[in-house]
């Protein structure tokens, strides 16, 4: 059954291409590539791609890659014809586009380098092929998760929590941020994760004031706050969770601030449902933090979509008018960050439902203070 | 002394900007950003930047970032004025470009998304500012390493070898690819590395036929070949090394093929010197492999530059006419890959010198068979 999902996804894209009157699309984004084909290699960087898809609006799709990945290509992308572009992508497309009768070619403006676009534009210009920016087209297919995808994300969330709890039980004064982050990463890998879904954060005391802190050799002291932000990739799907706790009994200031963040998170969760605007969810959390006097100390957006990528659409930001829809999955992660003191962030993932939302997390460590 | 290197690098870029008659440059590439400013945060992805530099051709440079990174920005990029673009990059530049009197703005065509360029183009168009693609400008400064940089890269190479040897000594049948890769990563982190410089590869038997194999749960059996490709980041600078060996006594086929790869590597190293063309170095190695009958089984380029990035200029590829110059650092990594059998790759790093090159590696495990 699941083997059918890739042809079905390709068909859905092909319908959209016909509607947009383009005769093919070049897919450069690694998440979109995996979504449509099942081909797993990641890109070393945007300039060093492990391949791209060429989807004609009718007929069999192509996976273009180089000889480093030919085995993965043949094995994983079973419905795709494979072409190796060892003489360069340009040479390959110059041959293949006319062969497939492509007269107008969609591309991903949000995931193609200006220089790549420029070369593509020159080459297609000579062939009389029109280029059309179709940024967001595949993301719009991905934004609503199927039940199968929701279950994969749930499994990713629960495994991530299991890893967190195992390592959490071993945390003691003297351990460094680096040791804790590393222990989390190890436990992820030994539990069957493909990889962490982003660089694991473990930050003590003032270091937690940086929302994207990089683990240092600072050793944990009794009374330090500990902020952990971690996620993993399981069967392609990401999880993302933050917890903040204290090494030893928490003081009143910590408890007060944690309660504010928790209340902000709860208000946002209460507001999430099919039809709610993203910015209204952000506002619901932000209001709690502002009313408590910390309005200047919550600088980032409230949350983001999670799926094949750990950061994807939709964004729960104060500037997003987008409406949430049943089947979307987002993080809810308010925080308070004070440069001289540290930071607190709590992050769970939820599935949007018709009349509310379902929290995927089960872990409640330190949330009940 | 070292604190002066960032202002000096900015000055060298400013001279080039004046020569190119542009009044400022937007630096979006993370390696170039760190090279010019010392600002360390990485980008989650090209669409989620941790900041960019705006370098006017005269006067103080700017670091533009958002509130998530304000502490790192203030602390690390000491010669830079910091502006937070929490209302969007567009709004920030619309204010700052006229303020600095910028009439023509360079940008990195090789590291900016088509969609970002498009928005930038609309905004600057309204302000009467001309955009100029300056891809490669900063890379050309970075391609020749200073003595200080060479010593940092040497330290990275030697630490990487130390990590390899420690874990190598513990490898035994039953261990999985994943366990070995993970043990390498751990040892790197506990030895003071910032991170691996790319996803560590450990591949057994046929799995080694994929040049970019992802570690699996396959367990090591006596007689399996083991290909390890690993590198780390130390104080910003990368290393990259591959070794291939056998669990137990190697058979004749393995030794024969290893010798071919080793000879190919040695021929390339013998050819490297100031003034040699990259494609001639690639050819020197490829000839050995072709003459031995494996010409169809060495699909990738011979090597690449290494520095703040693990893959940077120059490329030792059959298509590169670029000339090597004293102070460049490259990998030399020939390989033979046979789908049903496996693969062998040997990779060292060398510094180009006036009349030859200096191999940075000391490790000779299994090279003397």
């Amino acid at each position: 059954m699941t083997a059918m999902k890739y042809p079905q996804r390709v068909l859905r894209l092909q319908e959209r291409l016909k509607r947009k009157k383009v005769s093919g699309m070049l897919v450069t984004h690694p998440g979109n590539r995996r979504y449509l084909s099942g081909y797993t290699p990641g890109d070393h960087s945007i300039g060093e791609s492990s391949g791209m898809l060429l989807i004609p609006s009718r007929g069999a799709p192509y996976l273009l890659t180089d000889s480093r990945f030919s085995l993965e290509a043949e094995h994983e992308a079973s419905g795709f014809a494979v072409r190796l572009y060892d003489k360069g992508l340009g040479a390959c497309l110059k041959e293949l586009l006319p062969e497939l009768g492509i007269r107008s070619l969609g591309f991903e403006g949000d995931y193609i380098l200006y220089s790549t676009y420029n070369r593509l534009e020159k080459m297609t210009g000579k062939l009389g092929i029109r280029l059309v920016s179709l940024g967001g087209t595949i993301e719009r297919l991905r934004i609503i998760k199927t039940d199968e995808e929701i279950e994969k994300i749930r499994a990713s969330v629960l495994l991530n929590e299991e890893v967190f709890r195992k390592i959490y039980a071993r945390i003691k004064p003297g351990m460094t941020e680096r040791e804790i982050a590393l222990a989390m990463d190890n436990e992820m890998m030994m539990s069957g994760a493909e990889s962490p879904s982003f660089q694991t954060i473990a930050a003590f005391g003032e270091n937690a004031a940086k929302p994207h802190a990089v683990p240092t050799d600072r050793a944990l002291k009794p009374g330090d706050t500990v902020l952990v932000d971690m996620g993993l990739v399981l069967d392609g799907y990401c999880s993302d969770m933050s917890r903040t706790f204290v090494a030893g009994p928490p003081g009143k200031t910590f408890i007060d601030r944690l309660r504010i963040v928790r209340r902000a998170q709860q208000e946002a969760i209460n507001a999430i449902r099919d039809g709610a605007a993203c910015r209204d969810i952000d506002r619901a959390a932000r209001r709690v933090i502002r009313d408590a006097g910390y309005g200047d100390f919550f600088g980032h957006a409230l949350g983001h979509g999670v799926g094949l990528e750990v950061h994807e659409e939709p964004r729960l930001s104060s500037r997003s008018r987008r409406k949430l829809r049943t089947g979307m999955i987002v993080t809810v992660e308010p925080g308070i960050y004070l440069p001289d003191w540290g930071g607190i962030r709590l992050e769970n993932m939820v599935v949007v439902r018709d009349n509310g939302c379902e929290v995927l997390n089960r872990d409640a460590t330190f949330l009940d203070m």
Side-chain angles (χ1 to χ4, degrees), chain A:
Chain A
M1 280 302 289
T2 56
M4 285 305 295
K5 74 182 170 210
Y6 299 114
Q8 278 165 3
R9 289 172 182 174
V10 169
L11 276 176
R12 286 186 66 202
L13 175 62
Q14 288 178 320
E15 284 164 25
R16 273 164 184 72
L17 295 181
K18 282 176 212 149
R19 218 177 300 152
K20 288 173 194 285
K21 305 208 186 306
V22 299
S23 45
M25 179 167 179
L26 193 64
V27 179
T28 45
H29 186 287
N32 293 343
R33 187 176 68 203
R34 184 163 179 169
Y35 178 77
L36 292 167
S37 70
Y39 175 69
T40 63
D43 290 359
H44 180 78
S45 70
I46 189 173
E48 270 188 80
S49 169
S50 64
M52 48 196 79
L53 308 178
L54 178 64
I55 316 269
S57 59
R58 290 163 215 277
Y62 281 77
L63 168 58
L64 318 177
T65 183
D66 62 66
S67 65
R68 295 172 303 167
F69 298 101
S70 55
L71 292 180
E72 289 91 334
E74 294 290 351
H75 183 248
E76 295 176 341
S78 56
F80 284 66
V82 175
R83 290 265 177 128
L84 301 186
Y85 52 69
D86 286 315
K87 280 171 198 156
L89 176 65
C92 174
L93 285 176
K94 210 162 132 181
E95 219 175 79
L96 192 53
L97 292 174
E99 202 178 306
L100 296 175
I102 288 174
R103 306 297 307 151
S104 53
L105 181 66
F107 69 98
E108 299 189 279
D110 295 333
Y111 201 83
I112 194 166
L113 291 174
Y114 169 81
S115 55
T116 309
Y117 167 81
N118 243 5
R119 284 194 298 273
L120 190 62
E121 210 254 332
K122 272 186 199 120
M123 188 266 289
T124 51
K126 280 183 200 151
L127 296 172
I129 294 170
R130 186 170 56 95
L131 284 182
V132 186
S133 179
L134 295 179
T137 304
I138 304 167
E139 284 80 355
R140 276 190 288 278
L141 301 177
R142 284 171 53 195
I143 198 170
I144 305 287
K145 273 65 182 175
T146 63
D147 288 348
E148 185 198 344
E149 287 183 293
I150 292 171
E151 291 319 309
K152 284 187 177 186
I153 294 169
R154 187 194 305 279
S156 181
V157 166
L158 295 180
L159 184 63
N160 193 44
E161 291 195 344
E162 229 178 82
V163 169
F164 171 76
R165 275 195 305 273
K166 260 192 206 161
I167 303 307
Y168 170 74
R170 290 189 222 150
I171 293 177
K172 52 172 188 270
M175 282 180 86
T176 67
E177 292 172 351
R178 200 186 260 258
E179 282 169 344
I180 292 175
L182 207 52
M184 296 289 182
D185 290 353
N186 272 324
E187 191 60 38
M188 286 179 195
M189 297 307 285
M190 297 318 294
S191 308
E194 287 177 29
S195 65
S197 56
F198 58 92
Q199 196 184 3
T200 300
I201 295 173
F204 304 158
E206 309 84 75
N207 290 353
K210 301 175 189 169
H212 283 234
V214 172
T216 71
D217 289 320
R218 173 175 169 150
L220 186 62
K221 294 189 302 284
D224 273 350
T225 56
V226 180
L227 191 158
V228 172
D229 190 348
M230 58 189 280
L232 54 81
V233 186
L234 182 66
D235 198 10
Y237 285 86
C238 297
S239 46
D240 189 356
M241 171 174 92
S242 303
R243 292 292 181 263
T244 312
F245 49 91
V246 174
K252 186 178 177 313
T253 309
F254 177 84
I255 295 178
D256 286 349
R257 289 177 178 159
L258 183 80
R259 283 180 175 158
I260 296 163
V261 175
R262 195 184 55 196
R263 206 161 63 235
Q265 190 185 43
Q266 195 54 54
E267 287 295 324
I269 288 174
N270 292 345
I272 292 176
R273 71 193 61 232
D274 182 88
C278 289
R279 61 178 185 175
D280 291 338
I281 310 303
D282 180 276
R283 193 174 297 159
R286 210 165 288 280
R287 189 182 303 123
V288 174
I289 290 173
R290 199 184 51 231
D291 289 354
Y294 294 99
D296 290 340
F297 306 101
F298 172 29
H300 59 73
L302 179 67
H304 53 82
V306 181
L308 287 167
E309 289 170 279
V310 68
H311 292 170
E312 56 180 50
E313 294 299 325
R315 312 278 157 169
L316 297 184
S317 108
S318 60
R319 289 185 288 167
S320 171
R321 291 186 160 83
R322 189 196 278 271
K323 292 230 161 59
L324 290 173
R325 291 295 169 208
T326 295
M328 291 184 181
I329 293 191
V330 290
T331 67
V332 183
E333 47 177 314
I336 293 177
Y337 309 93
L338 299 160
D340 297 326
W341 180 76
I344 293 179
R345 177 165 66 255
L346 295 177
E347 177 183 24
N348 277 342
M349 284 169 52
V350 309
V351 187
V352 181
R353 301 294 190 189
D354 291 355
N355 296 305
C357 72
E358 180 191 356
V359 179
L360 290 173
N361 296 73
R362 285 290 158 264
D363 173 81
T365 316
F366 287 102
L367 298 187
D368 50 353
M369 279 192 289

